[in-house]
Amino acid sequence: MLGVAALSGCGTSDSTSSTTVTVFAAASLQHVFTELGARYESAHPGTAVEFSFAGSSTLAAQLEQGAPADVFASANPANMDKAVRSGRITETSTTFATNTLTIVTPPGNPAGIATLADLSRPDLRLVVCAPQVPCGAATRTVTAAAGVAITPVSEESAVTDVLAKVTTGQADAGLVYVTDAASAGDRVVTVPFPEAAAAVNSYPIAVVADAPNPERAREFLDLVTGPEGRKLLAEAGFGSP
């Protein structure tokens, strides 16, 4: 269920002194966090950053069940709050980015999607995120605010799964974050819609209370929230907190 990207160190390969920082991060952060992980490793020889990318609700549940981790980055405050209630996060989290939804279609937009209202067509194969996932909660918010009733053929556990259904031709349209649409490049057509402003997702990050490597975890968090992290996030299409 978890998409895991384990990054090898860019410096020394001395395994006797190696340290691993485990980062649980929302699936929509995969591209930019992978780059930040590589940069962190380059600056900290002997330290490897291992990522578990998945829907934030899945990661919060993993933390509640005791999964070891050093850092948690969620795509919304609600799932960070779950980690707080389970006792795995005890510090005040830091909001480091924002994101909004957009419509994506296969190349050429064969279904002719132009507006959010078009997603209500009964013949449309629409894929969205499941309600418990931040992008799914945002989908419910924007469609309810716009009075658009949708009937998706599938509800996915991560926004990257929605994108994959569209890029592989299994769906006529999907609702994903603008950052995911940007990362897909010419594999999708992006259809912005003004109603997306009704649901702006804020991304919080925090060091896990029982982090195996709290000092290294803090350094990674500082990289994400500092100038270098903010620059990469902006380049990926994330909004400022």
Side-chain angles (χ1 to χ4, degrees):
M1 290 178 64
L2 296 179
V4 179
L7 303 177
S8 60
C10 298
T12 179
S13 59
D14 182 5
S15 60
T16 62
S17 60
S18 64
T19 300
T20 299
V21 177
T22 303
V23 179
F24 278 22
S28 53
L29 294 166
Q30 183 165 350
H31 178 74
V32 66
F33 266 37
T34 297
E35 174 61 25
L36 284 170
R39 294 190 182 194
Y40 181 89
E41 290 181 338
S42 181
H44 299 82
T47 299
V49 184
E50 182 175 293
F51 293 105
S52 287
F53 293 111
S56 297
S57 58
T58 296
L59 297 173
Q62 292 280 334
L63 287 172
E64 185 176 7
Q65 293 162 11
D70 293 290
V71 177
F72 178 37
S74 173
N76 69 349
N79 283 293
M80 181 63 73
D81 290 344
K82 291 179 182 178
V84 171
R85 290 195 296 271
S86 69
R88 297 302 303 281
I89 300 293
T90 56
E91 66 175 43
T92 300
S93 61
T94 301
T95 300
F96 64 95
T98 59
N99 217 344
T100 54
L101 295 176
T102 192
I103 300 167
V104 289
T105 77
N109 191 1
I113 304 300
T115 66
L116 180 65
D118 288 338
L119 300 186
S120 64
R121 287 170 19 195
D123 62 325
L124 190 75
R125 294 179 301 162
L126 173 66
V127 179
V128 300
C129 290
Q132 68 271 20
V133 183
C135 58
T139 295
R140 283 195 167 189
T141 297
V142 297
T143 53
V148 175
I150 60 174
T151 307
V153 296
S154 178
E155 294 182 336
E156 304 297 324
S157 61
V159 66
T160 48
D161 295 334
V162 175
L163 186 64
K165 292 272 188 174
V166 176
T167 58
T168 57
Q170 298 178 64
D172 300 315
L175 279 166
V176 302
Y177 294 122
V178 294
T179 53
D180 294 284
S183 70
D186 59 8
R187 293 182 297 152
V188 297
V189 169
T190 301
V191 183
F193 58 98
E195 297 91 342
V200 178
N201 277 32
S202 296
Y203 285 60
I205 188 171
V207 173
V208 178
D210 54 354
N213 297 292
E215 182 178 347
R216 294 300 193 194
R218 178 63 55 192
E219 290 171 346
F220 181 79
L221 185 151
D222 290 342
L223 175 63
V224 172
T225 59
E228 191 171 5
R230 291 186 186 279
K231 181 176 183 292
L232 283 178
L233 287 160
E235 290 173 354
F238 288 91
S240 300

